[in-house]
DNA sequence: ACTCTAGCGGAGGCACGCCTCCGCTTCAAC
DNA sequence: GTTGAAGCGGAGGCGTGCCTCCGCTAGAGT
């Protein structure tokens, strides 16, 4: 595990083209891709994404030479948001900060379907994203552990997998999903 | 919610053809389908399934007119096993019986990828399978609740969704998966 | 305003999956 | 052993997705 060789923060910005029309298309593609990946997982049809973006398939391929480039970019963008959120929670009460972040994690990821795939992908960028996310969220768990609020026999990766798994499942409604999630988190909490 | 109009137990048997070669092909198709669904989810290629079974694509379609027929049959077969397991656990200590069954549930389902899809599918057969499973497993939770070992503010469906979600996620190894699962189940347990 | 080049779109070739159809094969009943 | 029908398999037509290539368009710099 080495530190990422480039800041996640800049992936989206650095690839965005300069010309006005090109930049507009780039944004439309990212938005369309986020939507399509959310619906169909990372195997969503690229032609469909181009269609949704109102752009020719050629334009998609010029901006993102492979499916992976596109997926990585969307994903990195979301991870970046999560990292910021973690920083903003630094001054809250430990257990509440942790659960608040996990809530964002549950909702914010590219797509429920794709989270699981990305969490285990080996590519450099995905690895870098995981590093950033662990670096940002890990301390939230450690803080809760030091405060005696979270059990010590699990690590942050365990926790993310648990939350990702539960949120990836279909529920009757949000109420049921939240109930199940909070029950599972009760298992993480040190019994009072 | 009405009772299923036919016994789950007989779906596989009733569809199995009589002629010797035909029955052999039928079995090979089921085995190949179970394997393929496990790898690729319920969208696995039917031509690939026929290939794995060493059978022409026409034979697949004769036995299973639609993808759904095939998927339902494999699924019903597994549910059937789970129902039997639940009955065998009836004489064990409540909490242990429940977790033992959930363990089987986690491992036995057609495929981790497909469980989630099937758990929310609306077709008659899937609904019947769910009914059977709830009827078989539900009492295990109720027994644990009455013994004061499981919390009362959740139902069996919540529990299955939780376990299905967690087991559907990729983990580094079985040890990690079991650890996470048991942490989540600690949330279900009434604190001693 | 002019230019020139970055950027555009989509036609088209390839691969693959779906499903039907029908001439051939093999079982099993007699 | 004969025979009829149940069962077989895969060719082929259709649709869809992948990706490349190239003639056209429109933004940016002068």
């Amino acid at each position: 595990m080495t530190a990422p060789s480039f800041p996640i923060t800049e992936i989206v910005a650095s690839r965005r083209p300069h010309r006005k029309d090109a930049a507009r298309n780039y944004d439309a593609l990212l938005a369309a891709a986020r939507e399509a990946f959310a619906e169909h997982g990372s195997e969503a049809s690229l032609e469909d994404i181009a269609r949704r973006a109102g752009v020719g398939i050629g334009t998609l391929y010029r901006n993102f030479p492979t499916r992976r480039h596109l997926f990585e970019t969307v994903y990195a963008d979301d991870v970046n948001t999560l990292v910021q959120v973690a920083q903003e929670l630094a001054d809250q009460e430990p257990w509440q900060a942790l659960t608040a972040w996990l809530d964002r994690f549950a909702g914010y990821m590219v797509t429920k379907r794709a989270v699981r795939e990305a969490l285990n992908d080996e590519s450099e960028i995905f690895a870098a994203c995981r590093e950033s996310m662990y670096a940002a969220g890990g301390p939230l768990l450690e803080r809760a552990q030091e405060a005696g609020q979270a059990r010590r026999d699990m690590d942050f990766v365990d926790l993310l997998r648990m939350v990702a798994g539960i949120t990836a499942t279909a529920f009757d409604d949000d109420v049921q999903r939240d109930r199940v999630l909070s029950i599972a988190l009760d298992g993480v909490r040190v019994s009072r």
Side-chain angles (χ1 to χ4, degrees), chain A:
Chain A
M1 293 246 206
T2 63
S5 54
F6 45 80
I8 297 297
T9 329
E10 285 166 22
I11 290 176
V12 176
S14 70
R15 287 177 174 173
R16 192 164 185 268
H18 288 14
R19 229 175 80 171
K20 198 171 61 177
D21 56 345
R24 199 188 325 118
N25 287 338
Y26 181 86
D27 294 342
L29 278 168
L30 275 192
R34 176 172 280 114
E35 214 179 275
F37 286 143
E39 273 172 42
H40 304 114
S42 64
E43 295 306 312
S45 152
L46 298 182
E47 300 205 314
D48 179 49
I49 291 176
R51 257 188 315 268
R52 288 182 199 231
V55 141
I57 184 69
T59 300
L60 185 151
Y61 277 96
R62 199 171 325 98
N63 280 288
F64 307 97
T66 67
R67 170 188 300 279
R68 161 150 304 190
H69 274 81
L70 179 54
F71 189 64
E72 282 175 349
T73 310
V74 174
Y75 187 74
D77 199 28
D78 286 351
V79 166
N80 192 35
T81 306
L82 281 174
V83 169
Q84 280 179 264
V85 169
Q87 281 153 6
E88 287 160 18
L89 289 169
D91 53 353
Q92 302 221 2
E93 191 271 324
W95 179 257
Q96 204 215 310
L98 177 62
T99 55
W101 188 83
L102 289 174
D103 248 31
R104 293 298 278 272
F105 171 76
Y108 239 105
M109 300 300 286
V110 177
T111 150
K112 301 175 188 268
R113 290 189 70 134
V115 176
R116 295 181 313 136
E117 302 167 31
L119 230 41
N120 280 71
D121 193 290
E122 297 301 339
S123 90
E124 192 191 0
I125 289 200
F126 283 114
C129 284
R130 278 203 300 279
E131 289 304 307
S132 305
M133 208 152 58
Y134 296 164
L140 294 175
L141 174 60
E142 283 158 28
R143 219 152 53 88
Q145 286 172 327
E146 276 154 24
Q149 296 178 307
R151 62 198 292 162
R152 288 172 174 279
D153 62 345
M154 85 185 302
D155 62 25
F156 190 61
V157 180
D158 293 349
L159 184 53
L160 281 195
R161 293 249 162 87
M162 185 175 95
V163 174
I166 290 175
T167 54
T169 310
F171 287 100
D172 296 339
D173 50 45
D174 288 355
V175 176
Q176 187 186 40
R177 199 201 60 214
D178 290 349
R179 183 171 63 238
V180 169
L181 192 54
S182 87
I183 288 171
L185 287 179
D186 269 0
V188 175
R189 200 179 212 146
V190 165
S191 46
R192 327 76 343 238

